[in-house]
């Protein structure tokens, strides 16, 4: 069969992109292809459900700009579709003098990113959150929580209502770009032809890019984010999301307390190497996924840079008491018995050959294809603005093969010889 547009990947970015195409080009034939039996099966369905404000992101980055837009759009979309959403706010808590100083730097970043925050001293913090210990805090009122699976389902319903097709079980094993079309070969022997292809493959983005013949000088490294759930009697222990002050020397944010839209509280995540890109149970192992990570020079360089952090995260994964220490840093009343099992998530983290973690969104494109290479958090929050950026490239910039990166003015196109 032939379509005007084919989108590979039924996570929230792929679904939002399908919807955006049909909003821009009503009547187009659009196919959303998902290899699983349901939408939002991976990162979208295994995240913390936070509607981020964009506090931590580098000013001028694509992340910062699209997150700010997505924060309001996600809330508005949920209101229009009757999806439960709670704007509970976030507290970024400093527990020592060094963190208080870093909190000041973070406040300045919020000012540049045009994010409203309130400054709190220890007394203010105690009044707001009596179970939380800290010397100072920033309150970010615009942060909220939602179930992104419900958001994805509502986006998919709009796609279907506008004439788009959604197909499950479509495992892509070949991508051939020609002068006037792209052909997808599926594992069942079928071929699908389209005029434009958009790949939103998440944990498989590097493999789909390689299938398409792109220059893949990176790998998707899966990092498991392991969570615990607090018992029901502690579901009101906090009224805000409680986040740490980030350490700029560490690659990941650290453990935090998260209110969930279901009415309970989770603590986490840590960040440990996953040995299966889509293996959510503890100790999941896939030989190909493990080899892809361990044999990649960029991963080994990453470990050399951050081996102390890696050991700390691994200890927290293996020993619950070590994990508890991170939680008690700002919630001292928690006990080992409070840490109940909760499903893990897996972050698709792009790592370059020199060991650099790619923190911003990254796209690669050719004449007839756009590949979403890296879409880390806050991709769920920013899914609709990301979809607009993708579709604008698909409609307006076809033929300028290269890689999209971020710049102070928004999306910047950089030729890469693809």
């Amino acid at each position: 069969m032939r379509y005007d547009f084919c989108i590979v990947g039924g996570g929230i970015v792929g679904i939002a992109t399908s919807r955006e195409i049909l909003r821009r080009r009503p009547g187009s034939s659009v196919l959303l292809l998902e290899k699983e039996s349901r939408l939002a099966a991976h990162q979208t369905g295994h995240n913390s459900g936070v509607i981020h404000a964009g506090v931590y992101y580098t000013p001028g980055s694509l992340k910062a700009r699209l997150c700010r837009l997505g924060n309001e759009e996600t809330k508005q979309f949920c209101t229009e579709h009757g999806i439960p959403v709670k704007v509970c706010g976030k507290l970024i808590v400093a527990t020592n003098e060094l963190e208080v100083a870093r909190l000041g730097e973070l406040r300045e970043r919020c000012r540049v990113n045009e994010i409203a925050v309130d400054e709190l001293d220890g007394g203010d913090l105690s009044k707001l959150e009596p179970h939380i210990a800290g010397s100072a805090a920033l309150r970010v009122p615009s942060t909220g929580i939602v179930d992104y699976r419900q958001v994805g389902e509502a986006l998919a319903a709009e796609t279907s209502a506008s004439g788009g097709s959604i197909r499950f079980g479509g495992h892509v094993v070949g991508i051939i770009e020609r002068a006037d079309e792209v052909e997808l070969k599926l594992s069942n022997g079928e071929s699908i032809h389209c005029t434009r292809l958009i790949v939103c493959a998440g944990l498989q983005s590097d493999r789909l890019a390689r299938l398409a013949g792109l220059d893949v000088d990176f790998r998707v490294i899966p990092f498991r984010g392991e969570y615990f759930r607090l018992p029901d009697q502690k579901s009101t222990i906090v009224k805000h999301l409680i986040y740490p002050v980030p350490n700029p020397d560490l690659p990941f944010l650290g453990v935090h307390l998260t209110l969930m839209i279901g009415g309970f509280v989770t603590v986490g995540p840590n960040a440990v190497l996953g040995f299966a890109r889509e293996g959510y149970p503890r100790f999941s192992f896939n030989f190909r996924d493990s080899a892809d990570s361990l044999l990649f020079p960029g991963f080994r360089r990453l470990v050399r840079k951050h081996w102390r952090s890696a050991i700390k995260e691994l200890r927290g994964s293996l020993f619950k008491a070590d994990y508890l220490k991170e939680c008690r840093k700002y919630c001292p009343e928690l006990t080992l018995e409070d840490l109940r099992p909760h499903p893990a998530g897996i972050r698709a983290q792009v790592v370059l050959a020199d060991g650099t973690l790619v923190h911003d969104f990254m796209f690669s494109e050719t004449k007839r294809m756009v590949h979403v290479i890296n879409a880390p958090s806050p991709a769920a929050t920013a899914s609709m603005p990301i979809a607009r950026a993708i579709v604008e490239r698909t409609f307006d910039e076809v033929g300028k093969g290269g890689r999209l990166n971020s710049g102070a003015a928004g999306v910047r196109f950089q030729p890469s010889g693809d």
Side-chain angles (χ1 to χ4, degrees):
M1 295 187 65
R2 186 181 182 92
Y3 296 87
D4 296 324
F5 300 93
C6 183
I7 297 89
V8 174
I12 195 167
V13 173
I15 304 167
T17 300
S18 303
R19 168 183 176 264
E20 183 65 22
I21 289 172
L22 289 163
R23 286 162 64 93
R24 301 281 189 103
R25 297 275 181 90
S28 297
S29 56
V30 175
L31 173 66
L32 175 61
L33 194 63
E34 167 56 47
K35 69 183 176 70
E36 306 294 355
S37 59
R38 67 190 190 281
L39 297 173
H42 294 295
Q43 291 183 107
T44 303
H46 292 82
N47 63 36
S48 59
V50 177
I51 305 173
H52 293 282
V55 172
Y56 298 112
Y57 310 133
T58 303
S61 67
L62 197 54
K63 258 190 179 184
R65 185 172 67 87
L66 297 187
C67 184
R68 191 171 64 249
L69 293 171
N71 179 280
E72 291 302 321
E73 288 185 45
T74 299
K75 295 172 189 172
Q76 182 179 346
F77 182 85
C78 291
T79 299
E80 292 171 352
H81 291 77
I83 299 171
V85 63
K86 182 177 182 180
V87 184
C88 53
K90 172 196 292 185
L91 290 174
I92 304 170
V93 178
T95 59
N96 55 50
E97 291 185 5
L98 177 59
E99 290 183 349
V100 170
R102 288 173 176 165
L103 208 60
E105 298 168 2
L106 203 58
R107 182 184 63 245
E108 174 61 18
R109 177 168 290 193
C110 289
R111 184 192 67 79
V112 176
N113 283 337
E114 300 179 0
I115 300 167
V117 295
D118 303 317
E119 296 181 62
L120 309 177
D121 60 23
D124 297 328
L125 176 62
S126 294
K127 291 176 185 176
L128 274 181
E129 295 286 0
H131 301 282
I132 298 301
S135 308
L138 287 181
R139 179 173 175 265
V140 188
S142 59
T143 302
I145 53 174
V146 73
D147 182 345
Y148 279 112
R149 283 171 290 197
Q150 293 188 42
V151 178
E153 289 166 2
L155 290 167
E158 285 196 5
T159 298
S160 298
S162 299
S165 300
I166 300 175
R167 177 172 170 180
F168 298 100
H171 186 77
V172 176
V173 296
I175 301 175
I176 303 171
E177 182 179 16
R178 301 188 178 95
D180 60 347
E181 68 166 13
V182 179
E183 180 183 358
L184 299 178
K185 293 184 177 295
L186 306 186
S187 56
N188 63 3
E190 183 183 358
S191 290
I192 293 174
H193 300 260
C194 58
T195 305
R196 302 280 184 264
L197 173 66
I198 300 169
V199 179
C200 306
L203 287 155
Q204 308 295 337
S205 68
D206 56 339
R207 291 172 177 167
L208 271 292
R210 190 179 297 110
L211 278 180
L214 300 184
D215 181 15
V216 180
D217 56 348
F218 54 85
R219 286 290 186 281
V220 170
I221 305 296
F223 284 94
R224 283 178 57 82
E226 296 169 332
Y227 293 84
F228 291 98
R229 174 174 171 167
L230 299 187
D232 290 343
Q233 60 266 32
K234 291 195 173 179
S235 61
T236 58
I237 194 170
V238 290
K239 298 184 288 291
H240 300 76
L241 309 180
I242 308 298
Y243 273 62
V245 177
N247 183 340
D249 297 327
L250 300 180
F252 297 112
L253 181 59
V255 170
H256 39 276
L257 278 71
T258 306
L259 290 166
M260 303 295 285
I261 201 67
F264 56 94
V265 177
T266 64
V267 294
N270 59 358
V272 294
L273 176 65
F275 291 97
R277 294 194 185 192
E278 298 170 2
Y280 300 98
R282 194 172 173 84
F283 304 122
S284 295
F285 180 82
N286 177 282
F287 181 83
R288 181 189 179 195
D289 294 345
S290 300
D292 266 0
S293 296
L294 298 175
L295 297 179
F296 179 54
F299 173 72
R300 297 196 294 273
R301 294 182 178 113
L302 174 68
V303 171
R304 284 199 293 271
K305 290 180 185 178
H306 299 291
W307 64 270
R308 290 183 178 86
S309 174
I311 291 173
K312 179 182 177 182
E313 296 289 333
L314 183 60
R315 284 184 59 86
S317 176
L318 296 175
F319 306 105
K320 192 187 287 189
D322 282 61
Y323 200 108
L324 180 65
K325 288 179 184 177
E326 293 298 309
C327 304
R328 295 187 63 172
K329 182 179 177 182
Y330 37 74
C331 192
E333 69 185 69
L334 293 180
T335 67
L336 283 175
E337 290 71 29
D338 291 328
L339 302 185
R340 309 289 178 82
H342 188 72
I346 298 178
R347 172 177 177 161
Q349 176 62 61
V350 168
V351 177
L352 303 182
D354 64 359
T356 300
L357 290 162
V358 178
H359 292 296
D360 209 351
F361 303 129
M362 189 170 95
F363 308 86
S364 195
E365 62 183 300
T366 66
K367 180 178 180 181
R368 296 197 172 274
M369 298 186 296
V370 175
H371 287 248
V372 181
I373 300 299
N374 197 53
S377 179
T381 300
S383 61
M384 286 176 268
I386 292 171
R388 285 200 300 276
I390 293 169
V391 172
E392 285 166 6
R393 297 304 305 179
T394 304
F395 288 171
D396 301 332
E397 298 290 344
V398 172
K400 299 181 180 179
R403 180 170 295 167
L404 283 169
N405 289 305
S406 62
V411 179
R412 183 172 70 242
F413 179 76
Q414 296 182 332
S416 67
D418 290 345

